[in-house]
Amino acid sequence: MAILQVKQVSKLFGPHAEQGLELLEQGFSKARLAKEKNITVGVNRVSFDIQQGEIFVIMGLSGSGKSTLVRLLNRLIEPTSGEILIHGKDLRKMNKEQLREVRRKKISMVFQKFALFPHRTVIDNVEYGLEIQKVDKKLRRDKAMTALELVGLKGWEDKMPHELSGGMQQRVGLARALANDPEILLMDEAFSALDPLIRRDMQDELIELQDKMKKTIVFITHDLDEALRIGDRIALMKDGAVVQIGTPEEILTQPANDYVERFVEDVDLSKVLTAAHVMRRPETITPDRGPRVALELMRERGISNLFVIDRTKKMLGVITAEDASDAMRNNRKLEDILVTDGPKVGPDTLLNELFEITSLSKVPLAVVDDNGRLLGVIVRGAVLGALAGESKSEEVKQDA
Amino acid sequence: MPKIPLASWIESLVDWMGTYLAGLFDTIAFIIQKVVGFFNYVFMLPHPYLFILILAVLAWFLGRLPLTLFTAIGFLVIDNLGYWSQTMSTLSLVITSALISVLLGVPLGILTAYSKTASRILIPILDFMQTMPAFVYLLPAVTFFSLGVVPGVIASVIFAIPPTIRLTRLGIMQVSGELTEAADAFGSTSAQKLFKVQLPLALPTLMAGINQTIMLSLSMVVIASMIGAQGIGAEVYRAVTQLQIGKGFEAGLAVVILAIVLDRFTQNIFKSKKRGA
């Protein structure tokens, strides 16, 4: 079951917010509500489910309502309507104490400008969440130290926040959120205030941490590259509404409308698409066949090489047509002409890493999984083709 | 158009309060009397030289050499001029009114920071209190508390409390929204948010308010002496009314020395707190 369900949640600001809700249903636009009724639509009937353990990215430009939306998830801002279910329990129906309990135990937050308490040391900052739960002093210190170690800041516990660099301060912010051992982490533009290089590192580390801890992360960003790098799924927001929800690949390859398409048009696909996207079904043969059969197969399919696999689909190597006809004349077996040191890549290899490998290799690239099983092959043209797919759609749009 | 009988209204209000709230005023007067008496007793307990030594040691820890020298020499001069006991009673009055101002002012400041209604009501009253000529407070203070040190303290509190309230409010409101949001996001109760985040961060501003309150109540002592509050202010007042320029200068100098020492002491306490934080 989804850990967090958001159902038709809206947030309207203004004196007659309730009335605005009806008008929205009647089809009033955000601009018209603002102009005629003085109502600002922060979040407009948003629904989504977040699964346990995924990194769910909410992306949008400034003013798209993403920061408001994330604050609805722990009720830092009261929703105007809709349901927010955590483990099936409606956050909006909770009283103050129940809500506090959820914030203490289930949901932690990391802030854009870190929001560290400047009068507390690093370790006291990390301890804050436990301190207000009145956790035993020694226990909370231990937990805070563990969290601090996790983000690589051991030895900095007695410094004041202002003595740390931006990247380190946000690690403290992250450690503070992790110290509570929450199930859900809300990260509001958590890396936006950092330098690009440090941001990169933090993204990588977050993914690493996530592999270890399996939290559910709701990550807010305005940066598409960031969303594509870390998101398992992305919700794209515009004017307070969710325009499209999907995996990074879905967003890029099947944009739901013009807005999304415009949004993603500048994305360097080579940094997003992987080997798994461009590979084709391999032509294979088992090693117990002779060179004659192999040659016949190649002629039939119109190709110049064949991948040799065993019965468990484990890849043994590749044979070329040239070698095969030699072997046939000299009466040798397939094993003798097997090229075993051909290039292999994993299915998650990014396209931009494939360029060089394919250009240097005479035979197609083998895509194999961790157990050495052949998943597919990549021929040189496929990489370029995948990228060309994007430029083609651009041309079409320019014509229109 | 007839004149609005504002003056007689105020008078009947004061009369009414004097009649029906007498018990309350008596209790307040009793407490203030005791507190001022207590401080005066403590300050007069040691020999002046011992007291000066204690102050000098304190000054050393708070402000190093210049403040130590100034404190020691300043108070020796006061003792030498023969204003020791008057200065001590003034100090008792100032400390008492500052204490009351802080005890009332900080909670009121917090209240105005939290509640819009409270600040809408209280802020104009503070403006009123600060701009109304200070002498005017003396009259109701005398009506309710008769003559002596108690109305002096009351008048000082009314005159000196606004900075504490205002700067407490300002300090709390200056705490960035992100920090209070963070406190909320981790599940703080209102009290936890106030005591663990807002007040510690408001402390430097709040302390500046307390410093101002102390200085204002000191500036009130000469005025308070007009209604019989004893102390160095009374000496100044007497010198002024008798046109004794020399004595007036001596007593005035004692006030100045006390003011500078109090100001530096309070400022440095707050600075050292900031360093320690």
Side-chain angles (χ1 to χ4, degrees):
Chain A
M1 196 181 87
I3 184 167
L4 189 64
Q5 291 167 285
V6 173
K7 292 183 177 170
Q8 290 288 308
V9 165
S10 297
K11 175 64 191 180
L12 282 70
F13 299 95
H16 308 293
E18 300 286 338
Q19 186 202 355
L21 218 54
E22 275 168 44
L23 294 175
L24 266 184
E25 294 286 347
Q26 288 168 25
F28 272 55
S29 74
K30 181 178 166 164
R32 193 171 163 199
L33 270 178
K35 205 174 157 200
E36 292 177 19
K37 302 282 175 186
N38 198 18
I39 294 171
T40 310
V41 180
V43 172
N44 185 358
R45 290 165 294 172
V46 165
S47 299
F48 52 74
D49 288 358
I50 297 178
Q51 305 301 325
Q52 178 99 41
E54 75 173 329
I55 301 184
F56 188 84
V57 175
I58 299 173
M59 199 198 65
L61 301 177
S62 55
S64 62
K66 57 191 189 305
S67 280
T68 307
L69 177 57
V70 76
R71 279 164 177 74
L72 297 178
L73 300 183
N74 60 357
R75 260 179 71 187
L76 280 178
I77 297 176
E78 287 293 334
T80 310
S81 71
E83 287 177 18
I84 297 161
L85 307 176
I86 292 179
H87 288 302
K89 278 186 210 141
D90 193 347
L91 203 64
R92 287 188 71 204
K93 294 202 178 102
M94 291 182 185
N95 62 26
K96 262 189 170 179
E97 248 157 76
Q98 291 168 318
L99 178 63
R100 209 151 49 217
E101 209 51 28
V102 168
R103 288 174 177 174
R104 288 178 171 184
K105 302 265 164 71
K106 300 231 162 88
I107 300 184
S108 283
M109 196 160 175
V110 181
F111 294 85
Q112 179 173 10
K113 290 181 196 131
F114 323 139
L116 299 180
F117 302 123
H119 60 296
R120 293 172 150 249
T121 60
V122 165
I123 191 82
D124 284 344
N125 262 287
V126 177
E127 271 184 29
Y128 184 82
L130 298 165
E131 183 183 320
I132 58 173
Q133 295 177 40
K134 306 205 165 69
V135 173
D136 169 70
K137 229 175 189 175
K138 194 177 168 311
L139 182 64
R140 73 181 191 227
R141 176 72 34 139
D142 288 348
K143 283 188 173 180
M145 281 306 294
T146 312
L148 216 49
E149 267 170 53
L150 211 54
V151 299
L153 278 185
K154 198 183 173 191
W156 292 84
E157 55 269 15
D158 294 324
K159 298 270 188 253
M160 299 306 286
H162 68 86
E163 295 176 278
L164 272 56
S165 70
M168 290 163 88
Q169 287 190 32
Q170 193 56 303
R171 281 164 209 259
V172 178
L174 189 57
R176 178 175 64 177
L178 291 174
N180 284 11
D181 197 25
E183 292 168 46
I184 303 170
L185 266 183
L186 303 179
M187 304 186 72
D188 179 24
E189 300 242 17
F191 302 151
S192 299
L194 303 176
D195 294 337
L197 285 178
I198 295 168
R199 193 187 310 169
R200 259 297 171 81
D201 290 344
M202 293 290 283
Q203 290 164 357
D204 291 343
E205 272 178 54
L206 182 69
I207 295 170
E208 241 173 73
L209 275 177
Q210 171 66 354
D211 283 342
K212 273 188 242 164
M213 298 181 313
K214 306 281 180 222
K215 302 282 180 203
T216 305
I217 298 177
V218 182
F219 195 102
I220 309 297
T221 183
H222 64 264
D223 177 357
L224 183 62
D225 282 339
E226 186 166 73
L228 296 171
R229 268 172 70 84
I230 66 174
D232 291 323
R233 284 194 302 149
I234 299 171
L236 198 80
M237 284 186 80
K238 179 184 183 253
D239 291 340
V242 168
V243 186
Q244 185 174 7
I245 298 180
T247 62
E249 287 80 10
E250 282 166 0
I251 299 261
L252 287 175
T253 53
Q254 302 149 38
N257 59 23
D258 278 0
Y259 180 75
V260 183
E261 205 169 315
R262 263 205 320 280
F263 212 104
V264 299
E265 73 185 0
D266 292 331
V267 172
D268 184 353
L269 277 178
S270 72
K271 287 180 185 161
V272 180
L273 296 181
T274 61
H277 288 102
V278 294
M279 68 188 186
R280 294 180 187 169
R281 206 171 59 81
E283 299 297 343
T284 57
I285 188 168
T286 44
D288 52 356
R289 310 286 151 140
R292 188 179 299 273
V293 182
L295 264 178
E296 190 58 36
L297 256 174
M298 284 188 243
R299 188 159 39 232
E300 235 172 63
R301 305 273 151 87
I303 50 178
S304 59
N305 42 53
L306 269 183
F307 284 85
V308 183
I309 56 172
D310 68 11
R311 286 178 194 288
T312 61
K313 287 194 91 177
K314 192 166 152 36
M315 182 178 142
L316 302 173
V318 64
I319 52 171
T320 62
E322 219 173 298
D323 288 347
S325 59
D326 266 3
M328 198 172 74
R329 259 179 262 127
N330 303 332
N331 223 355
R332 287 159 68 191
K333 288 183 178 169
L334 269 188
E335 278 116 334
D336 302 329
I337 57 167
L338 207 56
V339 182
T340 52
D341 56 354
K344 291 179 209 166
V345 295
D348 295 329
T349 314
L350 290 175
L351 235 51
N352 63 351
E353 295 165 36
L354 293 179
F355 283 124
E356 205 182 325
I357 309 173
T358 50
S359 67
L360 290 177
S361 158
K362 272 183 282 175
V363 293
L365 217 51
V367 181
V368 294
D369 68 10
D370 292 343
N371 299 321
R373 278 202 297 262
L374 184 66
L375 300 172
V377 298
I378 299 173
V379 294
R380 208 176 300 175
V383 178
L384 287 174
L387 296 178
E390 194 210 7
S391 55
K392 214 184 255 168
S393 68
E394 234 174 60
E395 273 168 26
V396 170
K397 205 160 55 213
Q398 273 162 7
D399 292 343
Chain B
M1 191 175 164
K3 177 183 180 294
I4 302 169
L6 190 58
S8 65
W9 287 350
I10 295 294
E11 270 164 30
S12 39
L13 176 70
V14 169
D15 279 349
W16 181 86
M17 286 169 74
T19 316
Y20 292 98
L21 300 178
L24 176 68
F25 292 139
D26 285 348
T27 316
I28 294 172
F30 178 77
I31 294 170
I32 291 175
Q33 190 85 55
K34 284 288 170 210
V35 175
V36 175
F38 168 75
F39 279 123
N40 205 25
Y41 172 75
V42 171
F43 295 153
M44 291 302 284
L45 196 61
H47 188 272
Y49 292 157
L50 179 59
F51 193 71
I52 291 171
L53 185 69
I54 295 171
L55 284 180
V57 170
L58 265 177
W60 174 257
F61 282 114
L62 289 173
R64 303 290 157 190
L65 196 61
L67 183 60
T68 313
L69 284 179
F70 183 86
T71 307
I73 294 171
F75 276 88
L76 282 173
V77 168
I78 292 175
D79 185 44
N80 175 268
L81 294 175
Y83 292 112
W84 185 259
S85 72
Q86 291 93 324
T87 305
M88 288 304 112
S89 32
T90 295
L91 188 61
S92 313
L93 189 150
V94 167
I95 296 221
T96 306
S97 47
L99 196 69
I100 296 171
S101 299
V102 170
L103 287 179
L104 288 177
V106 171
L108 281 175
I110 293 169
L111 183 69
T112 53
Y114 269 79
S115 150
K116 261 193 186 155
T117 321
S119 70
R120 273 200 204 109
I121 296 169
L122 215 64
I123 297 296
I125 295 180
L126 291 182
D127 294 336
F128 187 88
M129 279 161 68
Q130 276 187 305
T131 45
M132 192 68 150
F135 292 96
V136 179
Y137 302 138
L138 296 180
L139 295 173
V142 168
T143 316
F144 299 139
F145 300 101
S146 77
L147 293 174
V149 71
V150 174
V153 169
I154 299 285
S156 293
V157 168
I158 297 174
F159 183 65
I161 201 172
T164 295
I165 299 178
R166 278 185 207 275
L167 289 177
T168 301
R169 172 170 185 263
L170 180 70
I172 286 178
M173 288 176 53
Q174 270 176 344
V175 173
S176 97
E178 253 206 344
L179 294 182
T180 51
E181 201 175 45
D184 284 334
F186 284 99
S188 312
T189 61
S190 304
Q192 285 171 332
K193 185 167 66 171
L194 179 65
F195 287 108
K196 288 181 189 291
V197 178
Q198 290 176 306
L199 272 185
L201 288 171
L203 203 63
T205 314
L206 193 154
M207 290 301 188
I210 295 177
N211 173 270
Q212 285 304 299
T213 289
I214 291 176
M215 299 322 288
L216 283 179
S217 46
L218 186 61
S219 76
M220 192 67 187
V221 296
V222 178
I223 300 171
S225 67
M226 290 166 67
I227 50 172
Q230 288 309 304
I232 199 72
E235 297 297 326
V236 176
Y237 183 55
R238 198 169 306 132
V240 169
T241 50
Q242 296 171 3
L243 284 176
Q244 291 175 313
I245 296 175
K247 272 201 111 185
F249 183 79
E250 281 180 4
L253 187 68
V255 174
V256 170
I257 291 169
L258 187 60
I260 292 176
V261 169
L262 278 176
D263 179 56
R264 297 298 184 273
F265 266 52
T266 47
Q267 273 189 21
N268 284 326
I269 288 173
F270 315 148
K271 268 188 213 146
S272 62
K273 272 228 173 97
K274 215 176 167 186
R275 269 202 304 272

